[in-house]
Amino acid sequence: MAGRSRNTPDQQPSEAEGLLPADYDLADLYGAQSADEDPDDTAVLIPPIALPGDAELAAAALAVPLISRVVALARWVAPHREVDEHGDLGEADRVQAARMLGAEDPDEEDVVEAMRAWALACDLDLVETGTTEEGAHVAIPGPDLDAVEAGEPAAVLGLWFEAAELVRELAAEAESVDPEVVEAGGHDDSDGLAEVEDARDQAAEILDEALHTLYEATAFAEPGAETVPLGVLAALLVVPDGQEPDEEMLGEITDLMVVLDPMLGDLAELGLVEHRPIDPDLFEEGGDDGEGEAAEVLDTDRPLTEEDAARFGTVRLTPLGQYAVREWLLADGYDAPLIGDLADQDGPALLRALAEDGQLFAEAELKAWLAARAPLDAARDLLAGARGRDVQSPVRRYYCVLGLGEIGEEAAAPVQEVVDDPELGGLAREWLRARGADVAAAEREVALWRIVDSMAAVMLLTAGEGGRLQALVADLPVTDNPASYFGEVWRVPHPMTVEVLEAVGELHLDRKVAKEARRAAVKARSLRAQGA
C-alpha cells in the first residue's frame, strides 16, 4: 500500500546503482507530491472508481494484440491440427502459425512470438489438446471460442482476466529468477530453490502493492493525468507519508524502479497498463567518471524537461487494469466500490449511505444517481431523504444541497414546496434566494437552526480538521452582545447544538465570544440532559 516502506529483492541489478543521486530532489525529477501535501490524499480506504461497461471493457480486451493473436490461433486450428505428445506444434506449423499472425517471411523471433501466443491459448483452454481413438495427438478450438469471437462480455472478460492472472504470476516469477542461484544449486538444492521461491513471493508482493497504489492514484487523478512516473510510484511504496526521502530511501527507490520496470512491461502486453520503460541508455557508462548518461540527464544546473523525466519510466493503469486490480482487491477481502453502486437506491437510502459510509467521491456518486432520474423526481427524493433530527441528518442535508446544485434551476419547484418545513425550510429559502427567487428570508428561529445544522455537517464531514470549520466559526453573525446571541443559540432544538457551541468556544478568535459560547454550551448540555 502507498507509503509503506519495503525492501526490494536481494538480487538487484547492478546497473540500478547511481541512477538517482543522493542529493537529487524527487519533486524536481518527477513532479511528485511534496511532503507538505495533505497525507489524507493517500487514503487507507479503497476509493471508488468509475469503470466502463462490460461491453466496452470486452471490446478493449479483444483489441489487445496478444489476446487477438490467441483468438486467431484458436480459430486457425479448426477443425483440428496435429501436435506432439506435449501439445506443441510441429516445426512447419509453427512457421505457418507465425505467417497467419501477420509475418510475411517469419524469422525466429516471429516464431517465438507465435508460440508464446500458442502457449497462452492452451493455458486458457481456448485451444484444447488431446489424443484421438487412433492415437493421434491433436489440438482443437476450446468450447468458449465462439462466444469470445462474438464479443460476449462475460466470455471475453473471463478469458482476459484468466490471462491477466497468469501474466501477473509469470511477471513476478521472471523477476525473481536469479540464474546464478539456480545454476549453482541445481534441482536438488533445497536451499537454492527456497531462496528462489522467497524471491518470487517478494516480487509478487511488490507488484501487487504497486498495482494497489496505482489503483488509488488513478482514482484520485484528474482526467488525463493518470500517468505516474515510475520514480513516484516507487517513492510511494518506500517513503512514509510526510517524510522526505533520505539517501538510503533514494537507493531503495532506484532499486525498486528497476525491479518494477520489466514486470510492468509484461503487464502492458496484456493491456493492464500503459508503460514507458526506463531508457536503457541511462545505464550506459561514459567518460572517466563512469556516471554515464543518467548523470547528464540529472544535471541539476538546468531544469529537467518532461521528456527527460519520462526516460526514467512512466506507467498508467488502464480501465482494463482497474477492472483486474479491483477483482484482486475484492478477492483479498477489500471493499472496492464502484461509482454508481448506489444508483438504484432511493433518495433517503442514497443520502444515508453517503452520510454513514464517509464516501470519498460523494459528488461523483451523486452525479451517477442523478443521471438515472428525472430532475423533478430526483429533487423531491433528495429532499425526502434530507429530513430528520438524528446525528447524521446534517450530513444528509449537506449532500442534499450538493445534489440540488447539480440539478440546478429545475429543482426550484420541489424546493419551493418545503420552504415552511421545520427542518428544510432554512435550507430551501437559502437555496432559492441564492438563485434570485422572490422568497422571504427564514425567520430567526429557523435561521439559527440552519446555522447550527450547517456547522454540524462540516464538523461531521471533517472531524473538525482543516480550515472549513474555522472559517464558519469566524463568519458567525455574532452581534456586539455575544451573550444575547448565544442566549438564543443554546435553545436551538438541534441534536448537535452542544457540540457546535463547544467548537465555537474552542475556535473563535475573539475571547469574549469564545467565553460566551462555552457558557452557552454548558446550558445546552443541561437542557439535553433534561430531555428537552
Side-chain angles (χ1 to χ4, degrees), residues 96-112:
Q96 188 176 344
R99 185 175 291 112
M100 184 275 300
L101 291 176
E104 293 184 7
D105 185 16
D107 57 18
E108 183 178 353
E109 186 175 341
D110 295 326
V111 172
V112 169

Side-chain angles (χ1 to χ4, degrees), residues 29 52 61 81 88 91 124 202 235 247 256 260 278 290 298 312 351 412 430 440 461 484 508:
L29 177 56
R81 195 164 292 267
D88 293 330
E91 196 66 38
L124 298 175
Q202 194 173 28
E247 184 174 349
L256 196 54
L260 285 171
I278 298 173
L298 292 172
F312 289 87
L351 296 182
E430 179 183 288
L461 285 165
S484 173
H508 207 288

Side-chain angles (χ1 to χ4, degrees), residues 48 66 84 133 145 155 160 167 234 247 258 273 288 298 311 410:
L66 182 56
D84 63 19
E133 293 181 358
L145 177 59
W160 181 87
V167 170
E247 184 174 349
V258 176
V273 298
D288 296 333
L298 292 172
R311 295 180 66 189
E410 292 178 276

Side-chain angles (χ1 to χ4, degrees), residues 50-373:
L51 278 180
D54 285 354
E56 186 176 341
L57 287 170
L62 287 174
V64 173
L66 182 56
I67 293 296
S68 66
R69 291 197 294 270
V70 165
V71 175
L73 282 172
R75 177 54 60 196
W76 173 72
V77 303
H80 67 270
R81 195 164 292 267
E82 290 189 11
V83 294
D84 63 19
E85 65 272 21
H86 304 295
D88 293 330
L89 291 170
E91 196 66 38
D93 276 344
R94 293 184 180 196
V95 175
Q96 188 176 344
R99 185 175 291 112
M100 184 275 300
L101 291 176
E104 293 184 7
D105 185 16
D107 57 18
E108 183 178 353
E109 186 175 341
D110 295 326
V111 172
V112 169
E113 287 301 308
M115 290 308 95
R116 288 182 66 240
W118 174 264
L120 183 57
C122 293
D123 287 339
L124 298 175
D125 292 328
L126 210 58
V127 169
E128 294 186 342
T129 59
T131 306
T132 67
E133 293 181 358
E134 293 76 21
H137 304 292
V138 296
I140 61 173
D144 295 332
L145 177 59
D146 289 342
V148 169
E149 286 185 316
E152 294 182 13
V156 173
L157 290 177
L159 176 82
W160 181 87
F161 184 69
E162 187 177 350
E165 293 201 293
L166 284 171
V167 170
R168 179 179 66 153
E169 181 179 340
L170 291 172
E173 186 171 319
E175 175 56 35
S176 67
V177 172
D178 185 345
E180 293 183 3
V181 172
V182 175
E183 292 172 6
H187 295 293
D188 297 328
D189 187 341
S190 58
D191 291 339
L193 292 176
E195 186 176 337
V196 171
E197 187 173 332
D198 288 344
R200 180 177 64 242
D201 292 343
Q202 194 173 28
E205 184 180 353
I206 290 172
L207 181 58
D208 285 351
E209 287 199 18
L211 290 173
H212 186 160
T213 301
L214 273 177
Y215 185 90
E216 293 189 352
T218 303
F220 285 114
E222 294 293 329
E226 299 92 349
T227 298
V228 179
L230 201 52
V232 171
L233 177 59
L236 288 172
L237 294 171
V238 169
V239 183
D241 291 333
Q243 291 190 24
E244 289 288 348
D246 56 24
E247 184 174 349
E248 182 179 353
M249 289 178 187
L250 284 170
E252 289 185 34
I253 291 168
T254 299
D255 290 341
L256 196 54
M257 289 166 60
V258 176
V259 169
L260 285 171
D261 193 52
M263 292 196 288
L264 294 172
D266 290 341
L267 298 186
E269 279 197 289
L270 207 63
L272 277 93
V273 298
E274 292 176 1
H275 171 240
R276 176 168 176 169
I278 298 173
D279 186 345
D281 289 343
L282 293 173
F283 298 119
E284 290 184 358
E285 293 187 353
D288 296 333
D289 57 8
E291 292 182 356
E293 191 170 346
E296 297 178 13
V297 174
L298 292 172
D299 180 5
T300 55
D301 291 336
R302 65 173 179 83
L304 199 67
T305 66
E306 290 185 10
E307 181 65 21
D308 286 337
R311 295 180 66 189
F312 289 87
T314 61
V315 61
R316 171 184 173 271
L317 199 63
T318 66
L320 275 173
Q322 287 182 295
Y323 170 82
V325 176
R326 179 173 181 268
E327 291 296 318
W328 291 325
L329 289 170
L330 291 171
D332 287 341
Y334 289 95
D335 181 14
L338 289 176
I339 293 172
D341 275 351
L342 302 175
D344 60 346
Q345 303 291 310
D346 62 15
L350 168 74
L351 296 182
R352 189 164 54 248
L354 295 180
E356 292 174 354
D357 297 341
Q359 288 286 323
L360 294 171
F361 284 12
E363 292 185 46
E365 192 66 57
L366 274 168
K367 290 179 180 179
W369 185 87
L370 291 169
R373 288 161 177 77

